[in-house]
Amino acid sequence: QVRLEESGGGSVHTAGSLRLSCAASGYDYNDYCMYWFRQTPGKERERVAVLYTDGGGSPWYSDSVKDRFTISREDASHTLYLQMNDLRPEDTAMYYCAAGGKTTCTGSYCCALLYEPSYWGQGTQVTVSS
């Protein structure tokens, strides 16, 4: 059974940085899509960053975080990261790690645009104050 466990949320001031982590377990294959989403009350969930784990070119980012956030993965520990720099109050949200099942995708853009996650973490809160 796939499990995802996030950590690293917290409170920072504008222009600060945080790094979120997501430990993945239960996979018996190496090629799958991994995602970071965020959601604030009353708003739709937003796809923030996407990474295809088996190489697959550049990650995908939403326009709202491009050039500020970086998604990466450490293969040995099966841990997904989201490095968030230059944080703004509008980045305040619950951040969720998510992952897909078996896929025919071979890149992050395919994962972002054609697939939805099958597994979700419990979420970690990020609060940015001015």
Side-chain angles (χ1 to χ4, degrees):
Q1 183 177 355
V2 174
R3 288 191 60 191
L4 304 172
E5 186 170 351
E6 302 106 330
S7 59
S11 297
V12 296
H13 291 294
T14 299
S17 297
L18 283 172
R19 188 176 80 158
L20 306 183
S21 300
C22 172
S25 61
Y27 276 102
D28 59 3
Y29 47 90
N30 294 320
D31 53 335
Y32 50 95
C33 305
M34 295 200 78
Y35 307 77
W36 286 103
F37 283 81
R38 67 185 181 186
Q39 189 169 25
T40 55
K43 290 190 176 181
E44 285 192 12
R45 190 168 53 202
E46 178 188 9
R47 184 182 286 107
V48 171
V50 182
L51 183 70
Y52 178 65
T53 60
D54 193 20
S58 301
W60 179 95
Y61 298 97
S62 69
D63 287 343
S64 60
V65 307
K66 199 173 292 184
D67 300 325
R68 299 188 298 123
F69 290 12
T70 303
I71 187 172
S72 62
R73 180 175 177 266
E74 183 179 86
D75 290 346
S77 63
H78 304 284
T79 301
L80 184 73
Y81 299 101
L82 185 68
Q83 177 66 44
M84 305 185 293
N85 298 329
D86 189 24
L87 283 161
R88 305 165 181 169
E90 54 264 38
D91 294 317
T92 295
M94 184 71 79
Y95 283 71
Y96 296 91
C97 172
K102 273 286 188 182
T103 178
T104 57
C105 279
T106 56
S108 301
Y109 278 67
C110 173
C111 294
L113 301 178
L114 299 180
Y115 278 85
E116 293 292 333
S118 301
Y119 310 103
W120 293 86
Q122 80 284 357
T124 185
Q125 178 68 36
V126 171
T127 302
V128 185
S129 57
S130 57

